[in-house]
Amino acid sequence: PRQLVVIGYTDGFQVWDFTDPAASKELISKQDKAVLQARMLPCPLLPVDVAADVMGVACAPVMAYLHKSAPALVRLFSLKSHDDVHLLRLTEPAKSLQASRKFF
């Protein structure tokens, strides 16, 4: 499995691949607002009756992150397209980011 490290800064974030420590590489460097929290999301398990082009699979790998200035907006960032692919608007600020393969 890939060993990814997500680093949040006051002006954006970076994602690094440390699968091979001798050849680590930066995958993404995005300048943006201060990042409060970030987490790589697992690729979801698909039921047999669901198409493989659903957002979680088509955009994988995906990272969820929160801006410090808007903790009630969870942004989903695709490492494949290098862009935000979805925005979740919560009624209250998120306290933590969690996901499982079953409940993406």
Side-chain angles (χ1 to χ4, degrees):
R2 293 175 78 178
Q3 300 294 317
L4 301 178
V5 174
V6 179
I7 304 170
Y9 294 107
T10 58
D11 63 347
F13 61 86
Q14 291 180 326
V15 179
W16 287 78
D17 185 347
F18 283 99
T19 305
D20 179 5
S24 59
K25 61 183 176 179
E26 179 185 76
L27 299 178
I28 299 290
S29 181
K30 182 176 179 182
Q31 288 191 326
D32 204 348
K33 297 177 183 173
V35 172
L36 179 65
Q37 239 182 105
R39 179 179 296 264
M40 294 301 301
L41 302 180
C43 192
L45 293 173
L46 289 179
V48 290
D49 60 340
V50 174
D53 63 344
V54 294
M55 192 256 322
V57 176
C59 299
V62 176
M63 180 184 78
Y65 71 100
L66 304 170
H67 283 154
K68 187 174 183 180
S69 61
L73 299 176
V74 179
R75 290 167 170 81
L76 300 184
F77 183 87
S78 169
L79 272 66
K80 184 187 278 185
S81 67
H82 295 197
D83 200 9
D84 288 343
V85 293
H86 196 67
L87 178 66
L88 300 170
R89 290 177 168 81
L90 306 177
T91 56
E92 296 183 18
K95 295 188 182 352
S96 69
L97 295 173
Q98 298 180 11
S100 73
R101 294 187 73 204
K102 189 173 181 182
F103 303 104
F104 181 75

